[in-house]
Amino acid sequence: MTDRDFSLFQIALQQRATSVEALLGNLLSDRPQTGEISRPPRLMAAIRHSVLNGGKRLRPFLVMESAALFKADNLAALRVAAALECVHSYSLVHDDLPAMDNDDLRRGQPTVHRKFDEATAILAGDSLLTYAFELIASEETELDPQARIALIATLARAAGVGGMVGGQALDLEAEMVKPDEQGIIRLQAMKTGALIRFACEAGAIVGHAGLEDRERLAEYGAAIGLAFQLADDLLDVTADASHMGKATRKDAAAGKATLVSMHGIEWTQRQLVGLIAQAEELLAPFGEKAALLKDAARFIAERQS
Amino acid sequence: MTDRDFSLFQIALQQRATSVEALLGNLLSDRPQTGEISRPPRLMAAIRHSVLNGGKRLRPFLVMESAALFKADNLAALRVAAALECVHSYSLVHDDLPAMDNDDLRRGQPTVHRKFDEATAILAGDSLLTYAFELIASEETELDPQARIALIATLARAAGVGGMVGGQALDLEAEMVKPDEQGIIRLQAMKTGALIRFACEAGAIVGHAGLEDRERLAEYGAAIGLAFQLADDLLDVTADASHMGKATRKDAAAGKATLVSMHGIEWTQRQLVGLIAQAEELLAPFGEKAALLKDAARFIAERQS
């Protein structure tokens, strides 16, 4: 680990967030686009409420910084980043529903089903998932069809039954039958890991990286995805709700087993140090170009909210 | 109109349905595919319950027959047809949820949230939508990347905020503010029309049809999509629940305005005759090759369930 502080990373994260929010705000307007009949204003308002919420935009940042390693077209990377943020937002909207986590707050704001209604929240999530694929497939994403198809196939796998949604289903089942350690690791690799892994792999695809580099970025994504989840579980134990903008200590209250509850706080912190080292090693071949991605690994592991 | 009866059409519809069900049964197994970590068995069971339900498979039929006009690769058309059926199934699963239509029965069977639970139904729908894009994007769909991208872009638009999901949102809003005639037409073109239109256009894309033929097939799809909805509204008034395998007379009970409630049964039947004629005219350039698609138009307009 270096002594470098997070100020450069924070500035870059903020810059990327501003770009992706500007694009999303523009794309998710009430104005129908080519091939669309009309856009229902209330549905669009619910979609914007869920997406334009001041999130950190970590996944978009990972797409864009990974793409930058390969001198990728910046606008194409931005559109893929926006699409991924739509998938992330959809997953949160559906996850917050009464039948799922039944959350009232997200980033200190009412969740979509609380501010609008449950039916609108279901449709807003469905819309965002659909829109992510439309955004990547569009000719305005200036990438050859081969790269766009690879992105769509990889995203669909990361988000589907063998990835994020499958992880959410395993999480539901875990309330009935508690998983063992391997089960928890698999669940988390699917539920939160798959999309973060995709973010980094997507950057490599946008940048037309070779297969070896693409796999290297995917592995880096998997490592920081695991770190993200461990840090999240740790925060659930140590942080308070006002700091997080959402309910905390939910895992313990729900009797949910996590690696933190299984192995304790110190073990988890050692794992996080190991994952940062692994991420840095994977990025070593890219040298100084990967400095911000190395920061991202540390930021994810050490974050306080 | 011809005197031709529906027996050839029924046989062809059944054959196409058998092929698409065999493919879907195989694809939607518990066995993880390349790039997937694992598939949760309960989620997969819910998905299969919703998809493998003995549906007529009208949309897959339209994809495959439209593709056949252009001598398209049969397996590619079959995979696109299966993907579309996944989107159709997802829309039914989410539409049946308590927060939406709150239906207990679908084709005489318990709906997914009744047989499993609400959270699983939400995730099953999400999975099916995601899987549809994965299926088309996959290299096993033996089409050039350009055609696969066109299919994905067109499907996403048909299913998204300016298409099917947008139509569902307008339908929710219609419970509060009753739409006028143009509003109902727009709502229906989006809610049920967009996916049927896509089915026919998709066949043209799979068959690498020229832009003019692609537009012609899309227009044919729009005409039979409107006929489908008119016939549905008519059946809601005239059929009984045991025949339909789902609740009927829901529109009147919900005080929902339809073109049938606005103009009466006879007007609707005249519209249907006009739509059949329009569909046949659009297909005229294809001659005898389009006989089954002409049957489909009549079948949709005249169906009794």
Side-chain angles (χ1 to χ4, degrees), chain A residues 34 37-38 40 42 90 94 99 119 126-127 129-130 133-134 145-146 148-149 156-157 161-162 165-166 173 186 190, chain B residues 34 37-38 40 42 90 94 99 119 126-127 129-130 133-134 137 145-146 148-149 156-157 161-162 165-166 173 186 190:
Chain A
T34 319
I37 297 172
S38 107
R42 189 176 152 85
Y90 124 74
H94 281 189
D126 293 347
S127 302
L129 174 58
T130 308
F133 292 107
E134 183 178 342
Q146 192 73 55
R148 280 182 279 157
I149 274 291
R157 273 197 299 273
V161 289
V165 173
E173 290 175 28
R186 188 170 56 234
M190 291 166 73
Chain B
T34 318
I37 297 173
S38 110
R42 189 176 152 85
Y90 124 73
H94 281 190
D126 293 346
S127 303
L129 174 58
T130 309
F133 292 106
E134 183 178 343
Q146 193 73 55
R148 280 182 278 155
I149 275 290
R157 272 196 300 271
V161 288
V165 173
E173 290 176 29
R186 188 170 57 233
M190 291 166 73

Side-chain angles (χ1 to χ4, degrees), chain B residues 12-160:
Chain B
L13 183 64
Q14 184 54 56
Q15 282 176 339
R16 299 297 200 187
T18 303
S19 309
V20 82
E21 269 162 37
L23 177 61
L24 284 166
N26 190 28
L27 292 169
L28 300 172
S29 79
D30 289 354
R31 203 176 52 251
Q33 296 184 0
T34 318
E36 293 180 350
I37 297 173
S38 110
R39 288 184 163 190
R42 189 176 152 85
L43 177 65
M44 298 312 299
I47 289 171
R48 287 192 298 270
H49 177 75
S50 77
V51 176
L52 306 173
N53 65 352
K56 283 192 290 292
R57 314 301 182 187
L58 184 63
R59 290 161 194 78
F61 175 86
L62 293 170
V63 174
M64 288 188 275
E65 287 302 325
S66 299
L69 287 183
F70 307 98
K71 302 192 197 305
D73 177 76
N74 212 25
L75 188 58
L78 181 61
R79 288 176 63 94
V80 174
L84 177 54
E85 195 66 4
C86 289
V87 175
H88 177 54
S89 291
Y90 124 73
S91 77
L92 299 180
V93 174
H94 281 190
D95 230 19
D96 287 339
L97 284 168
M100 307 273 291
D101 285 356
N102 194 21
D103 271 314
D104 295 334
L105 281 179
R106 167 76 59 190
R107 304 205 136 264
Q109 294 291 317
T111 46
V112 177
H113 66 274
R114 296 289 290 169
K115 186 163 171 90
F116 295 85
D117 55 76
E118 226 178 297
T120 302
I122 294 166
L123 295 178
D126 293 346
S127 303
L128 282 164
L129 174 58
T130 309
Y131 193 64
F133 292 106
E134 183 178 343
L135 194 47
I136 298 175
S138 161
E139 289 186 2
E140 291 176 52
T141 303
E142 291 194 353
L143 280 173
D144 52 298
Q146 193 73 55
R148 280 182 278 155
I149 275 290
L151 286 162
I152 286 165
T154 311
L155 175 57
R157 272 196 300 271

Side-chain angles (χ1 to χ4, degrees), chain A residues 100 221 246:
Chain A
M100 307 275 290
K246 62 178 183 182

Side-chain angles (χ1 to χ4, degrees), chain A residues 87-106 111-113 121-122 125-126 164-172 175 187 191-192 229 232 246 250 256, chain B residues 119 122-123 126:
Chain A
V87 174
H88 176 54
S89 290
Y90 124 74
S91 78
L92 299 180
V93 174
H94 281 189
D95 231 20
D96 287 339
L97 284 167
M100 307 275 290
D101 284 356
N102 194 20
D103 271 314
D104 295 334
L105 281 179
R106 166 75 59 189
T111 47
V112 178
H113 66 275
I122 293 166
D126 293 347
M164 184 182 68
V165 173
Q168 286 169 313
L170 287 178
D171 209 20
L172 290 177
E175 285 168 25
L187 187 165
K191 190 179 175 188
T192 51
Q229 187 60 51
D232 215 52
K246 62 178 183 182
K250 283 169 56 188
K256 190 187 273 186
Chain B
I122 294 166
L123 295 178
D126 293 346

